[in-house]
Amino acid sequence: MSIPLSLIIKELESTPDSILSILSTLHYDKSILLNITKSETNHLISRTLNLTKSPDAYNKWCGTNLIRVLAENYTILSNNGIVLLEQLLTNLENYNHTIDRKILTSTIEAINFICKQIRGKPTLTREILTPKLPTIITKYLDNIHFNPLLVIDSLFILVKHHPTTFRPFGNKLASRLTGFLNLGEFTSFPEKLKQSIFKTLAILPVIEKAEPEVQWENNVRNIIKEVVSILSVYNEFLNLNDDADIKRLFQKLPSAEIDSKKLLEPLNLDVNQPKSLFQISSNIEILLNLLSTYLKVETRFSVRVPLGLIVTLNELICSINLRFVQFKFDVRDDALKSIIKATTLKNQFNAVKLLQELALVYRGNVLPHLTNILSYLEVLIPFKNKKIDFNELLINEELAVALLSCVESYLSLVGNLGDSSQLLRFVDTSLLLVEPRLDSSLAPAAVKKVDQPQGKNNKKKKNTNSVAMSDLLSHQHLFVESINSGTIKVVRSFLSAIISRVNLPPTQHYKIMRYLILEAVNAKYYSYEKSVSPQLRNLLINSVLYPGFEKVSLLPIVSQLIPQDPLLSVFTNPRFPPLPIYVKKVEEPTELAGFGDNDEDEEVVEEKTTVEDDSEPSAKRRKTDHGEASASTENGDASVIPAKPEDIEIVDEAKVFVTKEVSSEDVISFPSEPVVQEVKRVEVVTTAPVPAPVVAAPSVDVAESAAGDDSDFEMPEIDLDGDSDDDE
């Protein structure tokens, strides 16, 4: 419902009763502001500014949002944009913690909207936005602690679109953002806020006056150096020098100088307080996430990405694995050992995430490193007694799921992978993650038998230790833990990529087939929804399209589980074209003669005949004009030999014209219309769907036709004058 402008101006004299209807009218009904007069504009602007200056929080909020809606009109923005923007900046300058936070949010959003409306228009940018940009940046930096997410996102847009104007404020913004990184609770910040800080830091090289691409590359290399320096701390607890591969990786990576400037503060570790060791994994997580953002955020200039160094850095992180590296002799505290192990697992998880980002962003550029990446990701799978440690796998399920997701991202870059040996452990890991799990707290304890002396007065006592385990033995299905839905989705997506791109050995292939059939049957018949999920449906279809070593097709089972799938219906009901039936080509009449008033008028049709040479035997085959050959026998019968397909016309009618073969000595007269003979329809039996039946013209005995006495049908007489009498 639209409100008249006069009523809107009157409502804005004091606190409006319903600001939402006014805002809706001004936003949707563009004709109101298009036909507004100058006096009405002045009234509207002045009353909006009065609401914005009001000390009442509601009135200030109403005025701020009115400015945002009025800025949609170009005429109002060009004539009054400076006044509106100055009032918003005044409110932003006067903001403090005693004022409602919604006022700050509305004010910043209104300023951002006005900047967006002006940006790209040269005159408005020169007259309104450019003079006010330094003030806007300063006010944003002063209020960054009140609403960090909104302010940092706003600063990111200003850096991206106005790098020259932002150049004097670059160092100040970088120090503010670095201060957030060094907060002890930064890792517990909301994910959106952390990503906003990372991307703003990553885009700051754009403000450099000369060679911003060099500054970008230097920042990336400095992050790598800082990660390497933190990883070297593990040398105090582990025998890293005993591993030749780890030593080689340290030498390949650049090392930080002693006096180099770092993003994060130095580590403050205390062995007597093992909890302080978590600073190692926290700092590495921050640096790897920042490095990932540098690799993802777009820039206006071309950059050189050191992919080789990044892959080597991830290899070093994954190589610091307690399965292969031993603790030093003086590290004996079990709590210290468990914390160090936890930090290495956390580092490996962040390294796997970074590797997946490389595959998603740079795609084919990382394929030269594919074999190396798969080889050192494989060592992250926990093993015990030459088998995958199921308990350890469930404890670090988050790492295992990230590992499978990363491998799937790299498999999506190739059409087919010939060597499947590097993927066998990943397949076994994925199948273990979706195995039914019993509650870990219900591990059966061995019931000890107490030896009691045998005697008359000794009574048998009830063994109460076995009572608690009776339900577990009789109702085991009630103690099965549910598997995380995210884990199931990742595993199914990984198996689908494996089936379609890798030729697995029969053992792993049959395991996958068994899993997907059991899951599909459970989903179809034993679940509440009675339906198959999209991931499982895709996996079932791929099992049909890529059968591998399967000798018996899974198509009958899969088509029963998902009967309405259009792709599978092509296999169950193949759309083959109908088999054609070839008949003799019909000869059109060439001459008509003998028309008159008499009802007995007839037309003479000249038939093409084939004259047989008397010198040849009677059984000699002769070719007709239609491409067929007939063989004469001693009894006067003729057998028809099929003609070539290109000389045959396909007839799909119930009535066909019949041509006759005669000798040159015979004289045959025909009615005035071509002879029409009713022919019985022929049913064709085939396994594929066949369209309407095709009728073939019957063969005509040449000898009987020439004689005319033994014909099986009577030639009708057709009245050419259109009379309907029955006189003969």
Side-chain angles (χ1 to χ4, degrees):
M1 182 180 66
S2 180
I3 303 176
L5 182 60
S6 58
L7 184 58
I8 292 175
I9 296 175
K10 186 176 181 180
E11 282 286 329
L12 296 179
E13 290 180 357
S14 58
T15 303
D17 295 333
S18 178
I19 190 64
L20 295 180
S21 59
I22 296 176
L23 294 175
S24 177
T25 300
L26 294 175
H27 176 70
Y28 290 106
D29 194 354
K30 305 297 182 182
S31 60
I32 293 181
L33 296 181
L34 288 176
N35 302 323
I36 190 173
T37 62
K38 187 175 182 180
S39 60
E40 291 175 336
T41 303
N42 294 334
H43 280 87
L44 185 60
I45 296 298
S46 62
R47 293 180 182 181
T48 300
L49 293 176
N50 289 336
L51 287 175
T52 310
K53 297 174 184 178
S54 174
D56 183 68
Y58 177 72
N59 290 343
K60 190 181 292 292
W61 182 86
C62 293
T64 303
N65 286 279
L66 277 171
I67 291 176
R68 187 185 186 281
V69 175
L70 292 175
E72 296 176 357
N73 184 271
Y74 178 77
T75 305
I76 294 178
L77 183 62
S78 58
N79 295 330
N80 305 279
I82 296 178
V83 179
L84 298 176
L85 191 57
E86 285 180 348
Q87 184 57 47
L88 291 175
L89 292 174
T90 302
N91 290 348
L92 188 60
E93 183 180 3
N94 297 331
Y95 182 80
N96 54 59
H97 65 280
T98 61
I99 304 176
D100 193 348
R101 188 180 174 184
K102 294 178 181 179
I103 303 299
L104 175 67
T105 303
S106 301
T107 303
I108 294 177
E109 289 178 349
I111 293 174
N112 292 341
F113 183 78
I114 292 177
C115 294
K116 181 181 177 181
Q117 293 294 104
I118 295 175
R119 192 176 296 119
K121 303 175 177 66
T123 305
L124 289 183
T125 302
R126 183 177 62 253
E127 299 295 333
I128 300 177
L129 185 57
T130 303
K132 296 298 180 182
L133 271 178
T135 306
I136 294 173
I137 297 171
T138 303
K139 301 307 177 186
Y140 280 1
L141 290 174
D142 293 340
N143 294 278
I144 194 172
H145 55 283
F146 289 116
N147 195 339
L149 179 60
L150 177 60
V151 174
I152 294 174
D153 283 341
S154 304
L155 290 171
F156 173 81
I157 296 174
L158 294 177
V159 173
K160 183 178 180 180
H161 294 285
H162 310 281
T164 305
T165 308
F166 209 99
R167 189 172 296 140
F169 305 95
N171 292 334
K172 187 176 182 180
L173 176 59
S175 62
R176 287 294 185 91
L177 297 178
T178 306
F180 282 114
L181 296 181
N182 288 293
L183 293 176
E185 62 274 9
F186 177 79
T187 53
S188 60
F189 279 12
E191 191 63 29
K192 288 185 178 180
L193 177 56
K194 291 193 290 185
Q195 291 300 322
S196 179
I197 294 173
F198 291 146
K199 71 179 182 180
T200 307
L201 277 172
I203 205 175
L204 276 180
V206 76
I207 67 176
E208 296 295 328
K209 187 175 182 179
E211 297 182 341
E213 64 277 1
V214 176
Q215 182 64 37
W216 185 93
E217 186 177 358
N218 291 336
N219 291 348
V220 171
R221 290 182 176 272
N222 289 335
I223 294 174
I224 295 175
K225 293 177 182 179
E226 194 165 350
V227 174
V228 173
S229 64
I230 296 176
L231 290 174
S232 62
V233 176
Y234 282 107
N235 200 25
E236 301 295 329
F237 309 100
L238 304 172
N239 294 318
L240 298 182
N241 293 329
D242 295 343
D243 194 318
D245 293 335
I246 296 179
K247 191 175 181 179
R248 175 183 55 83
L249 293 174
F250 268 113
Q251 293 174 354
K252 290 176 64 175
L253 293 170
S255 57
E257 295 79 7
I258 299 176
D259 56 347
S260 62
K261 187 178 180 180
K262 298 181 179 180
L263 287 172
L264 303 180
E265 296 177 353
L267 296 174
N268 185 14
L269 305 179
D270 188 358
V271 179
N272 297 322
Q273 295 180 355
K275 186 179 178 181
S276 62
L277 296 179
F278 282 112
Q279 295 180 31
I280 301 175
S281 58
S282 298
N283 287 7
I284 291 179
E285 179 183 0
I286 293 171
L287 293 173
L288 291 183
N289 288 335
L290 179 59
L291 179 60
S292 174
T293 309
Y294 264 95
L295 300 176
K296 289 188 297 184
V297 173
E298 61 180 355
T299 58
R300 295 183 177 180
F301 44 85
S302 301
V303 296
R304 297 176 59 186
V305 181
L307 284 178
L309 284 179
I310 297 171
V311 172
T312 305
L313 177 65
N314 286 278
E315 184 179 0
L316 175 60
I317 295 174
C318 295
S319 298
I320 303 178
N321 193 333
L322 295 183
R323 287 178 52 204
F324 310 103
V325 182
Q326 301 297 325
F327 283 99
K328 287 189 173 182
F329 181 74
D330 54 349
V331 179
R332 301 178 181 179
D333 188 6
D334 292 336
L336 182 62
K337 290 182 178 181
S338 62
I339 290 178
I340 292 176
K341 181 180 180 181
T343 58
T344 57
L345 293 173
K346 189 67 175 177
N347 297 338
Q348 293 165 4
F349 174 75
N350 292 307
V352 170
K353 286 174 54 181
L354 177 58
L355 283 174
Q356 186 173 8
E357 292 294 339
L358 288 180
L360 296 176
V361 176
Y362 295 95
R363 303 188 68 80
N365 295 311
V366 297
L367 283 180
H369 307 279
L370 177 60
T371 304
N372 186 30
I373 290 173
L374 292 178
S375 62
Y376 68 73
L377 287 180
E378 187 180 6
V379 302
L380 299 182
I381 301 174
F383 265 75
K384 185 177 181 181
N385 298 329
K386 298 183 180 180
K387 293 183 179 180
I388 298 178
D389 191 349
F390 183 65
N391 295 329
E392 187 71 19
L393 190 67
L394 294 185
I395 293 173
N396 303 302
E397 183 177 352
E398 186 180 13
L399 174 60
V401 172
L403 198 61
L404 296 178
S405 181
C406 179
V407 175
E408 180 203 349
S409 300
Y410 280 91
L411 286 178
S412 64
L413 304 179
V414 298
N416 187 17
L417 194 62
D419 186 13
S420 63
S421 59
Q422 291 183 308
L423 300 171
L424 300 183
R425 290 185 177 179
F426 296 109
V427 174
D428 294 337
T429 301
S430 63
L431 295 175
L432 284 176
L433 286 176
V434 291
E435 284 289 327
R437 309 173 186 175
L438 284 178
D439 191 350
S440 58
S441 62
L442 296 175
V447 179
K448 298 181 180 180
K449 296 183 179 181
V450 181
D451 296 333
Q452 296 181 356
Q454 299 295 331
K456 296 181 180 180
N457 297 328
N458 291 336
K459 298 181 179 179
K460 290 185 178 181
K461 294 183 179 180
K462 185 177 181 180
N463 188 2
T464 57
N465 293 331
S466 62
V467 175
M469 308 306 298
S470 60
D471 289 338
L472 178 62
L473 297 175
S474 60
H475 298 76
Q476 187 177 2
H477 62 281
L478 298 178
F479 298 93
V480 177
E481 291 183 352
S482 59
I483 304 174
N484 188 7
S485 59
T487 301
I488 296 176
K489 290 181 181 179
V490 171
V491 168
R492 289 175 178 174
S493 181
F494 169 77
L495 293 178
S496 181
I498 285 287
I499 290 176
S500 57
R501 291 174 174 85
V502 182
N503 293 325
L504 293 173
T507 303
Q508 280 73 21
H509 181 79
Y510 294 147
K511 286 181 180 179
I512 295 176
M513 296 300 108
R514 172 185 174 275
Y515 161 73
L516 66 93
I517 293 299
L518 290 177
E519 286 296 309
V521 171
N522 289 332
K524 183 70 175 178
Y525 301 107
Y526 299 104
S527 65
Y528 180 76
E529 293 84 2
K530 303 293 183 183
S531 61
V532 180
S533 64
Q535 293 84 8
L536 187 57
R537 177 184 294 269
N538 187 31
L539 186 56
L540 289 170
I541 293 174
N542 282 341
S543 67
V544 175
L545 298 179
Y546 305 95
F549 294 94
E550 196 71 43
K551 296 181 179 179
V552 180
S553 176
L554 295 176
L555 180 60
I557 302 176
V558 176
S559 60
Q560 268 193 333
L561 297 173
I562 43 178
Q564 303 300 327
D565 189 86
L567 180 58
L568 292 181
S569 65
V570 176
F571 293 91
T572 55
N573 302 300
R575 275 73 161 172
F576 295 122
L579 297 176
I581 297 178
Y582 298 104
V583 298
K584 185 183 293 186
K585 186 177 180 180
V586 177
E587 185 68 26
E588 297 292 339
T590 56
E591 280 189 25
L592 298 176
F595 286 105
D597 295 334
N598 195 343
D599 292 337
E600 300 293 330
D601 289 343
E602 299 174 350
E603 69 171 316
V604 179
V605 180
E606 294 183 0
E607 292 286 344
K608 292 184 179 181
T609 60
T610 303
V611 180
E612 182 181 0
D613 192 358
D614 297 333
S615 61
E616 295 180 356
S618 61
K620 180 179 179 181
R621 301 187 181 188
R622 60 180 184 272
K623 292 187 178 180
T624 65
D625 292 338
H626 302 298
E628 292 186 356
S630 59
S632 301
T633 61
E634 295 179 357
N635 298 328
D637 299 330
S639 60
V640 179
I641 301 175
K644 299 180 180 178
E646 58 268 16
D647 298 331
I648 297 174
E649 180 180 0
I650 300 175
V651 180
D652 192 11
E653 298 291 340
K655 297 179 179 181
V656 297
F657 295 103
V658 180
T659 60
K660 301 175 182 291
E661 290 183 312
V662 296
S663 64
S664 58
E665 299 176 357
D666 297 329
V667 177
I668 302 176
S669 62
F670 292 91
S672 58
E673 288 291 331
V675 179
V676 178
Q677 180 184 2
E678 292 290 339
V679 184
K680 293 183 179 180
R681 292 183 177 270
V682 180
E683 291 189 3
V684 181
V685 180
T686 178
T687 56
V690 179
V694 180
V695 180
S699 302
V700 180
D701 194 316
V702 178
E704 291 179 359
S705 299
D709 297 333
D710 300 330
S711 178
D712 293 336
F713 63 93
E714 180 181 356
M715 290 191 180
E717 294 182 0
I718 302 175
D719 187 4
L720 297 177
D721 295 334
D723 296 335
S724 59
D725 52 7
D726 297 327
D727 297 337
E728 296 182 359

